[in-house]
Amino acid sequence: MQEFITVSELNNYIGGLLEGDLFLSNFWLKGELSGFKLYQQSGHMYFNLKDTDSLISCVMFKSRARGLAFKPEDGMEVLLRGTVSVFARQGKYQVYAEEMLPFGAGGLYLQLEKTKAKLQALGYFDPEHKQPLPRMVNRLGIVTSQDGAALRDILKVVRQRHALIDVVLVHSSVQGLEAPQELARGIELLNQQDSVDLIIVGRGGGSLEDLMAFNSEEVVRAIYQSHIPIISAVGHEVDYTLADLAADIRAATPTHAAQIAVPDVEGILNALAIYQQRMQRAIEKKLGYNSERLDRIMMRKIWSQPGIMIESRQKQVEVLEKGLRLAMSSGMQVRGQRLALAVTALDKLSPLKVLSRGYAIASKDGTVIHSSEQVEPGDQIDVTLYEGRLKVRVESKEGNPWKA
Amino acid sequence: MEGMSFEEALRQLEDILAMLESGELELEQSLRLFQSGMELSVYCQQMLKQAEGRIQQLTQKPDGEILLLEIDVKESE
């Protein structure tokens, strides 16, 4: 009987050879991606790398794939670092990828520019689409990592300002393969719930690779589609991320974003107090003007005997009118005009005119009442109307409604 | 006024203030606007005091259920 070994033994032997090889334990490989598959359940990525003549299958485990700064797609030229080993179950040797980058000088930048041009054409960065930020934020939404510095920086500002606002956090990874989807989902979730007034989306600073999630189409689209205003807050060294371009306001850092977002409650309360004062001044001026007009009439004490005063005024008016007619008819234009002015002036002063508009004069024992403090419930007071007078009993009284 | 947003209330308040300060209104109208303006400013003040300073986390479970839970985030140095 021949000596033999089992299939497993052979695969193990070959595996041992490959694993013992120094070169195969760490090398960089360039090739074009094909047959790329991400298994949702395991999170592992399976794909081939090929050139014009040859192909090799590769696997990148979830733990490694998580650190990817870009989204692999078939046809993409990539550079990966890995080892070769045998997958004994299928008798197949393959590359186990440790890290992977888009190939070419500034591969990431190229990819970024491509995405930017595409999204720009879709109108995602249009200034006309930007929403104004609310001046008052009661509930602030934050989409970032629950363990990141960004969240702590934002909450620090909230505490510093002693702002009583509610913060709603949606946790998301902020780098790696899953980050774009999670960030976008966070923004969508806050929009669905519709309970926050403003959203901050961001993370602390990092390299271009770290920030690539904020350059992803998913995140930019979610920002564009959000009906809640969004501040982007990606602390970074590079000029911008695409998320910054799509956001309604871009903040340089999460701290800066919080300073924009968190209302200065003290300041708004002050502004409201000033508005109240200004309204009071305006209304007092209005009332003052009208009551002055009234006072001028009051001084003549017509309220005590309005009938007589009115009659005498009416007589005066009649006399003047007669004179006016006479003056006009006798061609004395100048005198006529002066008379006409006098008649108008008198007419304006006439208490009848004021009373006819619905004003009334309240008096007690011959004294005009200016304030509720001059009377007590039960007092009898006189009210002079345009037509007639009333004897009225005070039921109750209140202070000045304008002085809250 | 119930349900009016803070923004909307503040905007109306500012409109009313401008109209009052123009001095061009009838007295009756001025008084009516003054009344509304005062109510709006009180409403705005109340809204400022509505939030309670909570920190919550919004999550969606795989089955679609949405949870809103209070969380505690430690102060940073």
mmCIF file of all heavy atoms in Angstrom, chain A residues 252-294:
data_model
loop_
_atom_site.group_PDB
_atom_site.id
_atom_site.type_symbol
_atom_site.label_atom_id
_atom_site.label_comp_id
_atom_site.label_asym_id
_atom_site.label_seq_id
_atom_site.Cartn_x
_atom_site.Cartn_y
_atom_site.Cartn_z
ATOM 1 N N ALA A 252 -16.307 75.334 12.139
ATOM 2 C CA ALA A 252 -14.963 74.770 12.005
ATOM 3 C C ALA A 252 -14.736 73.610 12.969
ATOM 4 O O ALA A 252 -13.999 72.683 12.673
ATOM 5 C CB ALA A 252 -13.923 75.853 12.237
ATOM 6 N N THR A 253 -15.383 73.682 14.127
ATOM 7 C CA THR A 253 -15.217 72.626 15.130
ATOM 8 C C THR A 253 -16.554 72.384 15.828
ATOM 9 O O THR A 253 -17.448 73.231 15.759
ATOM 10 C CB THR A 253 -14.214 73.058 16.221
ATOM 11 O OG1 THR A 253 -14.759 74.225 16.876
ATOM 12 C CG2 THR A 253 -12.855 73.385 15.650
ATOM 13 N N PRO A 254 -16.691 71.251 16.515
ATOM 14 C CA PRO A 254 -17.916 70.995 17.281
ATOM 15 C C PRO A 254 -18.181 72.088 18.327
ATOM 16 O O PRO A 254 -19.326 72.497 18.530
ATOM 17 C CB PRO A 254 -17.642 69.650 17.949
ATOM 18 C CG PRO A 254 -16.720 68.957 16.994
ATOM 19 C CD PRO A 254 -15.828 70.049 16.462
ATOM 20 N N THR A 255 -17.133 72.587 18.971
ATOM 21 C CA THR A 255 -17.311 73.660 19.953
ATOM 22 C C THR A 255 -17.917 74.893 19.281
ATOM 23 O O THR A 255 -18.869 75.501 19.783
ATOM 24 C CB THR A 255 -15.950 74.041 20.578
ATOM 25 O OG1 THR A 255 -15.441 72.902 21.254
ATOM 26 C CG2 THR A 255 -16.101 75.191 21.553
ATOM 27 N N HIS A 256 -17.379 75.218 18.135
ATOM 28 C CA HIS A 256 -17.895 76.362 17.388
ATOM 29 C C HIS A 256 -19.356 76.139 17.005
ATOM 30 O O HIS A 256 -20.195 77.052 17.100
ATOM 31 C CB HIS A 256 -17.023 76.583 16.141
ATOM 32 C CG HIS A 256 -17.419 77.772 15.346
ATOM 33 N ND1 HIS A 256 -17.330 77.813 13.984
ATOM 34 C CD2 HIS A 256 -17.941 78.959 15.721
ATOM 35 C CE1 HIS A 256 -17.778 78.974 13.543
ATOM 36 N NE2 HIS A 256 -18.142 79.692 14.587
ATOM 37 N N ALA A 257 -19.682 74.927 16.585
ATOM 38 C CA ALA A 257 -21.061 74.606 16.206
ATOM 39 C C ALA A 257 -21.997 74.835 17.394
ATOM 40 O O ALA A 257 -23.077 75.402 17.245
ATOM 41 C CB ALA A 257 -21.153 73.151 15.737
ATOM 42 N N ALA A 258 -21.551 74.402 18.569
ATOM 43 C CA ALA A 258 -22.396 74.558 19.753
ATOM 44 C C ALA A 258 -22.594 76.034 20.085
ATOM 45 O O ALA A 258 -23.668 76.465 20.476
ATOM 46 C CB ALA A 258 -21.771 73.825 20.932
ATOM 47 N N GLN A 259 -21.538 76.810 19.879
ATOM 48 C CA GLN A 259 -21.650 78.249 20.163
ATOM 49 C C GLN A 259 -22.680 78.902 19.243
ATOM 50 O O GLN A 259 -23.378 79.827 19.636
ATOM 51 C CB GLN A 259 -20.291 78.920 20.012
ATOM 52 C CG GLN A 259 -19.382 78.643 21.203
ATOM 53 C CD GLN A 259 -17.931 78.919 20.907
ATOM 54 O OE1 GLN A 259 -17.535 79.164 19.767
ATOM 55 N NE2 GLN A 259 -17.107 78.866 21.939
ATOM 56 N N ILE A 260 -22.751 78.394 18.018
ATOM 57 C CA ILE A 260 -23.757 78.927 17.091
ATOM 58 C C ILE A 260 -25.149 78.437 17.480
ATOM 59 O O ILE A 260 -26.122 79.174 17.448
ATOM 60 C CB ILE A 260 -23.442 78.461 15.645
ATOM 61 C CG1 ILE A 260 -22.103 79.038 15.188
ATOM 62 C CG2 ILE A 260 -24.554 78.890 14.695
ATOM 63 C CD1 ILE A 260 -21.623 78.444 13.867
ATOM 64 N N ALA A 261 -25.216 77.175 17.875
ATOM 65 C CA ALA A 261 -26.524 76.534 18.054
ATOM 66 C C ALA A 261 -27.184 76.875 19.379
ATOM 67 O O ALA A 261 -28.389 77.091 19.438
ATOM 68 C CB ALA A 261 -26.365 75.018 17.952
ATOM 69 N N VAL A 262 -26.387 76.908 20.435
ATOM 70 C CA VAL A 262 -26.985 77.054 21.763
ATOM 71 C C VAL A 262 -27.426 78.493 21.961
ATOM 72 O O VAL A 262 -26.639 79.413 21.814
ATOM 73 C CB VAL A 262 -25.983 76.656 22.863
ATOM 74 C CG1 VAL A 262 -26.590 76.877 24.234
ATOM 75 C CG2 VAL A 262 -25.587 75.213 22.688
ATOM 76 N N PRO A 263 -28.688 78.678 22.243
ATOM 77 C CA PRO A 263 -29.191 80.038 22.352
ATOM 78 C C PRO A 263 -28.632 80.732 23.591
ATOM 79 O O PRO A 263 -28.404 80.103 24.607
ATOM 80 C CB PRO A 263 -30.696 79.840 22.488
ATOM 81 C CG PRO A 263 -30.829 78.498 23.122
ATOM 82 C CD PRO A 263 -29.710 77.678 22.570
ATOM 83 N N ASP A 264 -28.418 81.996 23.446
ATOM 84 C CA ASP A 264 -28.033 82.824 24.566
ATOM 85 C C ASP A 264 -29.339 83.261 25.232
ATOM 86 O O ASP A 264 -29.883 84.308 24.926
ATOM 87 C CB ASP A 264 -27.231 84.019 24.034
ATOM 88 C CG ASP A 264 -26.910 84.997 25.135
ATOM 89 O OD1 ASP A 264 -27.124 84.648 26.305
ATOM 90 O OD2 ASP A 264 -26.465 86.106 24.816
ATOM 91 N N VAL A 265 -29.851 82.397 26.119
ATOM 92 C CA VAL A 265 -31.188 82.622 26.686
ATOM 93 C C VAL A 265 -31.263 83.966 27.394
ATOM 94 O O VAL A 265 -32.217 84.728 27.249
ATOM 95 C CB VAL A 265 -31.553 81.484 27.664
ATOM 96 C CG1 VAL A 265 -32.853 81.779 28.380
ATOM 97 C CG2 VAL A 265 -31.665 80.171 26.901
ATOM 98 N N GLU A 266 -30.200 84.268 28.129
ATOM 99 C CA GLU A 266 -30.138 85.551 28.839
ATOM 100 C C GLU A 266 -30.343 86.704 27.857
ATOM 101 O O GLU A 266 -31.118 87.616 28.096
ATOM 102 C CB GLU A 266 -28.757 85.675 29.492
ATOM 103 C CG GLU A 266 -28.721 86.614 30.641
ATOM 104 C CD GLU A 266 -29.070 85.905 31.940
ATOM 105 O OE1 GLU A 266 -29.794 84.892 31.923
ATOM 106 O OE2 GLU A 266 -28.617 86.363 32.968
ATOM 107 N N GLY A 267 -29.632 86.608 26.723
ATOM 108 C CA GLY A 267 -29.711 87.662 25.713
ATOM 109 C C GLY A 267 -31.109 87.793 25.139
ATOM 110 O O GLY A 267 -31.613 88.903 24.955
ATOM 111 N N ILE A 268 -31.756 86.659 24.896
ATOM 112 C CA ILE A 268 -33.105 86.709 24.320
ATOM 113 C C ILE A 268 -34.092 87.268 25.341
ATOM 114 O O ILE A 268 -34.963 88.063 25.017
ATOM 115 C CB ILE A 268 -33.541 85.310 23.842
ATOM 116 C CG1 ILE A 268 -32.622 84.838 22.710
ATOM 117 C CG2 ILE A 268 -34.975 85.337 23.345
ATOM 118 C CD1 ILE A 268 -32.912 83.443 22.228
ATOM 119 N N LEU A 269 -33.930 86.881 26.621
ATOM 120 C CA LEU A 269 -34.813 87.411 27.662
ATOM 121 C C LEU A 269 -34.660 88.927 27.768
ATOM 122 O O LEU A 269 -35.636 89.657 27.920
ATOM 123 C CB LEU A 269 -34.507 86.747 29.010
ATOM 124 C CG LEU A 269 -35.100 85.341 29.190
ATOM 125 C CD1 LEU A 269 -34.583 84.698 30.463
ATOM 126 C CD2 LEU A 269 -36.621 85.394 29.208
ATOM 127 N N ASN A 270 -33.405 89.385 27.668
ATOM 128 C CA ASN A 270 -33.169 90.830 27.692
ATOM 129 C C ASN A 270 -33.863 91.515 26.534
ATOM 130 O O ASN A 270 -34.498 92.549 26.695
ATOM 131 C CB ASN A 270 -31.668 91.121 27.607
ATOM 132 C CG ASN A 270 -31.012 90.993 28.964
ATOM 133 O OD1 ASN A 270 -31.705 91.048 29.986
ATOM 134 N ND2 ASN A 270 -29.712 90.809 28.978
ATOM 135 N N ALA A 271 -33.726 90.914 25.342
ATOM 136 C CA ALA A 271 -34.344 91.495 24.161
ATOM 137 C C ALA A 271 -35.855 91.571 24.341
ATOM 138 O O ALA A 271 -36.488 92.579 24.004
ATOM 139 C CB ALA A 271 -34.003 90.670 22.921
ATOM 140 N N LEU A 272 -36.446 90.530 24.928
ATOM 141 C CA LEU A 272 -37.899 90.524 25.138
ATOM 142 C C LEU A 272 -38.305 91.634 26.102
ATOM 143 O O LEU A 272 -39.313 92.317 25.900
ATOM 144 C CB LEU A 272 -38.351 89.163 25.686
ATOM 145 C CG LEU A 272 -38.454 88.033 24.654
ATOM 146 C CD1 LEU A 272 -38.746 86.711 25.341
ATOM 147 C CD2 LEU A 272 -39.529 88.332 23.625
ATOM 148 N N ALA A 273 -37.501 91.825 27.155
ATOM 149 C CA ALA A 273 -37.808 92.880 28.130
ATOM 150 C C ALA A 273 -37.756 94.244 27.450
ATOM 151 O O ALA A 273 -38.605 95.114 27.694
ATOM 152 C CB ALA A 273 -36.820 92.818 29.289
ATOM 153 N N ILE A 274 -36.783 94.407 26.560
ATOM 154 C CA ILE A 274 -36.663 95.687 25.856
ATOM 155 C C ILE A 274 -37.841 95.887 24.906
ATOM 156 O O ILE A 274 -38.402 96.984 24.812
ATOM 157 C CB ILE A 274 -35.306 95.753 25.111
ATOM 158 C CG1 ILE A 274 -34.184 95.930 26.142
ATOM 159 C CG2 ILE A 274 -35.285 96.903 24.105
ATOM 160 C CD1 ILE A 274 -32.790 95.724 25.598
ATOM 161 N N TYR A 275 -38.256 94.816 24.250
ATOM 162 C CA TYR A 275 -39.440 94.908 23.374
ATOM 163 C C TYR A 275 -40.653 95.363 24.182
ATOM 164 O O TYR A 275 -41.441 96.195 23.748
ATOM 165 C CB TYR A 275 -39.749 93.552 22.738
ATOM 166 C CG TYR A 275 -38.830 93.171 21.599
ATOM 167 C CD1 TYR A 275 -38.929 91.929 20.994
ATOM 168 C CD2 TYR A 275 -37.879 94.059 21.114
ATOM 169 C CE1 TYR A 275 -38.090 91.563 19.949
ATOM 170 C CE2 TYR A 275 -37.036 93.707 20.074
ATOM 171 C CZ TYR A 275 -37.143 92.462 19.505
ATOM 172 O OH TYR A 275 -36.318 92.105 18.483
ATOM 173 N N GLN A 276 -40.798 94.796 25.389
ATOM 174 C CA GLN A 276 -41.944 95.166 26.226
ATOM 175 C C GLN A 276 -41.897 96.652 26.567
ATOM 176 O O GLN A 276 -42.902 97.355 26.476
ATOM 177 C CB GLN A 276 -41.946 94.342 27.514
ATOM 178 C CG GLN A 276 -42.452 92.926 27.323
ATOM 179 C CD GLN A 276 -42.771 92.249 28.642
ATOM 180 O OE1 GLN A 276 -42.469 92.772 29.704
ATOM 181 N NE2 GLN A 276 -43.372 91.075 28.560
ATOM 182 N N GLN A 277 -40.703 97.104 26.951
ATOM 183 C CA GLN A 277 -40.561 98.530 27.293
ATOM 184 C C GLN A 277 -40.908 99.419 26.110
ATOM 185 O O GLN A 277 -41.594 100.426 26.249
ATOM 186 C CB GLN A 277 -39.125 98.827 27.716
ATOM 187 C CG GLN A 277 -38.804 98.378 29.125
ATOM 188 C CD GLN A 277 -37.316 98.470 29.419
ATOM 189 O OE1 GLN A 277 -36.575 99.111 28.663
ATOM 190 N NE2 GLN A 277 -36.889 97.820 30.481
ATOM 191 N N ARG A 278 -40.424 99.008 24.943
ATOM 192 C CA ARG A 278 -40.666 99.838 23.766
ATOM 193 C C ARG A 278 -42.147 99.869 23.409
ATOM 194 O O ARG A 278 -42.667 100.906 23.006
ATOM 195 C CB ARG A 278 -39.838 99.312 22.583
ATOM 196 C CG ARG A 278 -38.397 99.791 22.656
ATOM 197 C CD ARG A 278 -37.512 99.083 21.675
ATOM 198 N NE ARG A 278 -37.940 99.241 20.286
ATOM 199 C CZ ARG A 278 -37.337 98.616 19.270
ATOM 200 N NH1 ARG A 278 -36.311 97.815 19.492
ATOM 201 N NH2 ARG A 278 -37.760 98.798 18.050
ATOM 202 N N MET A 279 -42.814 98.739 23.578
ATOM 203 C CA MET A 279 -44.254 98.727 23.304
ATOM 204 C C MET A 279 -44.988 99.640 24.281
ATOM 205 O O MET A 279 -45.907 100.354 23.917
ATOM 206 C CB MET A 279 -44.802 97.300 23.406
ATOM 207 C CG MET A 279 -44.483 96.458 22.190
ATOM 208 S SD MET A 279 -45.460 94.949 22.116
ATOM 209 C CE MET A 279 -44.901 94.081 23.558
ATOM 210 N N GLN A 280 -44.550 99.586 25.547
ATOM 211 C CA GLN A 280 -45.189 100.426 26.559
ATOM 212 C C GLN A 280 -45.005 101.900 26.240
ATOM 213 O O GLN A 280 -45.938 102.693 26.330
ATOM 214 C CB GLN A 280 -44.613 100.109 27.936
ATOM 215 C CG GLN A 280 -45.541 99.222 28.738
ATOM 216 C CD GLN A 280 -44.875 98.570 29.912
ATOM 217 O OE1 GLN A 280 -43.832 99.012 30.358
ATOM 218 N NE2 GLN A 280 -45.477 97.516 30.409
ATOM 219 N N ARG A 281 -43.765 102.227 25.836
ATOM 220 C CA ARG A 281 -43.502 103.620 25.508
ATOM 221 C C ARG A 281 -44.371 104.079 24.336
ATOM 222 O O ARG A 281 -44.937 105.150 24.343
ATOM 223 C CB ARG A 281 -42.013 103.811 25.185
ATOM 224 C CG ARG A 281 -41.396 104.961 25.963
ATOM 225 C CD ARG A 281 -39.910 105.016 25.761
ATOM 226 N NE ARG A 281 -39.230 103.932 26.452
ATOM 227 C CZ ARG A 281 -38.181 103.273 25.968
ATOM 228 N NH1 ARG A 281 -37.682 103.573 24.785
ATOM 229 N NH2 ARG A 281 -37.621 102.333 26.663
ATOM 230 N N ALA A 282 -44.472 103.193 23.339
ATOM 231 C CA ALA A 282 -45.255 103.542 22.153
ATOM 232 C C ALA A 282 -46.720 103.751 22.515
ATOM 233 O O ALA A 282 -47.353 104.705 22.054
ATOM 234 C CB ALA A 282 -45.108 102.462 21.088
ATOM 235 N N ILE A 283 -47.237 102.865 23.369
ATOM 236 C CA ILE A 283 -48.669 102.969 23.686
ATOM 237 C C ILE A 283 -48.910 104.159 24.621
ATOM 238 O O ILE A 283 -49.925 104.846 24.528
ATOM 239 C CB ILE A 283 -49.206 101.647 24.284
ATOM 240 C CG1 ILE A 283 -50.715 101.556 24.110
ATOM 241 C CG2 ILE A 283 -48.872 101.493 25.739
ATOM 242 C CD1 ILE A 283 -51.159 101.237 22.725
ATOM 243 N N GLU A 284 -47.945 104.426 25.502
ATOM 244 C CA GLU A 284 -48.108 105.571 26.398
ATOM 245 C C GLU A 284 -48.104 106.877 25.611
ATOM 246 O O GLU A 284 -48.827 107.812 25.916
ATOM 247 C CB GLU A 284 -47.006 105.582 27.457
ATOM 248 C CG GLU A 284 -47.394 104.756 28.686
ATOM 249 C CD GLU A 284 -46.190 104.349 29.519
ATOM 250 O OE1 GLU A 284 -45.118 104.983 29.364
ATOM 251 O OE2 GLU A 284 -46.331 103.392 30.306
ATOM 252 N N LYS A 285 -47.264 106.881 24.595
ATOM 253 C CA LYS A 285 -47.203 108.060 23.742
ATOM 254 C C LYS A 285 -48.548 108.284 23.052
ATOM 255 O O LYS A 285 -49.079 109.394 23.001
ATOM 256 C CB LYS A 285 -46.095 107.858 22.697
ATOM 257 C CG LYS A 285 -45.514 109.142 22.160
ATOM 258 C CD LYS A 285 -44.274 108.841 21.344
ATOM 259 C CE LYS A 285 -44.227 109.731 20.119
ATOM 260 N NZ LYS A 285 -43.215 109.286 19.154
ATOM 261 N N LYS A 286 -49.060 107.169 22.562
ATOM 262 C CA LYS A 286 -50.349 107.229 21.862
ATOM 263 C C LYS A 286 -51.440 107.691 22.829
ATOM 264 O O LYS A 286 -52.224 108.584 22.532
ATOM 265 C CB LYS A 286 -50.677 105.833 21.326
ATOM 266 C CG LYS A 286 -51.821 105.797 20.346
ATOM 267 C CD LYS A 286 -51.289 106.055 18.969
ATOM 268 C CE LYS A 286 -52.418 106.414 18.022
ATOM 269 N NZ LYS A 286 -51.908 106.865 16.733
ATOM 270 N N LEU A 287 -51.475 107.067 24.008
ATOM 271 C CA LEU A 287 -52.483 107.430 24.996
ATOM 272 C C LEU A 287 -52.257 108.855 25.459
ATOM 273 O O LEU A 287 -53.201 109.622 25.639
ATOM 274 C CB LEU A 287 -52.421 106.479 26.200
ATOM 275 C CG LEU A 287 -52.953 105.071 25.963
ATOM 276 C CD1 LEU A 287 -52.616 104.178 27.138
ATOM 277 C CD2 LEU A 287 -54.458 105.107 25.733
ATOM 278 N N GLY A 288 -51.011 109.211 25.659
ATOM 279 C CA GLY A 288 -50.668 110.555 26.119
ATOM 280 C C GLY A 288 -51.183 111.601 25.158
ATOM 281 O O GLY A 288 -51.812 112.579 25.555
ATOM 282 N N TYR A 289 -50.968 111.380 23.897
ATOM 283 C CA TYR A 289 -51.415 112.320 22.876
ATOM 284 C C TYR A 289 -52.915 112.507 22.946
ATOM 285 O O TYR A 289 -53.423 113.610 22.936
ATOM 286 C CB TYR A 289 -50.999 111.801 21.498
ATOM 287 C CG TYR A 289 -51.594 112.550 20.359
ATOM 288 C CD1 TYR A 289 -51.193 113.859 20.069
ATOM 289 C CD2 TYR A 289 -52.573 111.961 19.556
ATOM 290 C CE1 TYR A 289 -51.745 114.553 19.012
ATOM 291 C CE2 TYR A 289 -53.127 112.644 18.499
ATOM 292 C CZ TYR A 289 -52.715 113.947 18.218
ATOM 293 O OH TYR A 289 -53.280 114.625 17.175
ATOM 294 N N ASN A 290 -53.624 111.396 23.057
ATOM 295 C CA ASN A 290 -55.076 111.471 23.097
ATOM 296 C C ASN A 290 -55.581 112.089 24.399
ATOM 297 O O ASN A 290 -56.517 112.876 24.389
ATOM 298 C CB ASN A 290 -55.691 110.086 22.897
ATOM 299 C CG ASN A 290 -55.649 109.684 21.439
ATOM 300 O OD1 ASN A 290 -56.511 110.094 20.663
ATOM 301 N ND2 ASN A 290 -54.646 108.942 21.050
ATOM 302 N N SER A 291 -54.944 111.715 25.511
ATOM 303 C CA SER A 291 -55.444 112.236 26.778
ATOM 304 C C SER A 291 -55.084 113.712 26.912
ATOM 305 O O SER A 291 -55.790 114.474 27.556
ATOM 306 C CB SER A 291 -54.899 111.441 27.951
ATOM 307 O OG SER A 291 -53.512 111.645 28.057
ATOM 308 N N GLU A 292 -53.996 114.121 26.266
ATOM 309 C CA GLU A 292 -53.663 115.538 26.289
ATOM 310 C C GLU A 292 -54.740 116.343 25.582
ATOM 311 O O GLU A 292 -55.160 117.390 26.048
ATOM 312 C CB GLU A 292 -52.324 115.724 25.583
ATOM 313 C CG GLU A 292 -51.459 116.799 26.178
ATOM 314 C CD GLU A 292 -50.157 116.863 25.417
ATOM 315 O OE1 GLU A 292 -49.332 115.973 25.633
ATOM 316 O OE2 GLU A 292 -50.010 117.777 24.582
ATOM 317 N N ARG A 293 -55.163 115.801 24.445
ATOM 318 C CA ARG A 293 -56.241 116.457 23.714
ATOM 319 C C ARG A 293 -57.473 116.582 24.602
ATOM 320 O O ARG A 293 -58.161 117.606 24.627
ATOM 321 C CB ARG A 293 -56.586 115.652 22.467
ATOM 322 C CG ARG A 293 -55.713 116.001 21.294
ATOM 323 C CD ARG A 293 -55.859 115.003 20.181
ATOM 324 N NE ARG A 293 -57.211 114.977 19.614
ATOM 325 C CZ ARG A 293 -57.568 114.109 18.664
ATOM 326 N NH1 ARG A 293 -56.707 113.249 18.198
ATOM 327 N NH2 ARG A 293 -58.793 114.129 18.196
ATOM 328 N N LEU A 294 -57.723 115.520 25.341
ATOM 329 C CA LEU A 294 -58.887 115.498 26.224
ATOM 330 C C LEU A 294 -58.703 116.495 27.365
ATOM 331 O O LEU A 294 -59.600 117.259 27.703
ATOM 332 C CB LEU A 294 -59.015 114.077 26.781
ATOM 333 C CG LEU A 294 -60.415 113.480 26.836
ATOM 334 C CD1 LEU A 294 -61.162 113.704 25.542
ATOM 335 C CD2 LEU A 294 -60.309 111.997 27.147
#
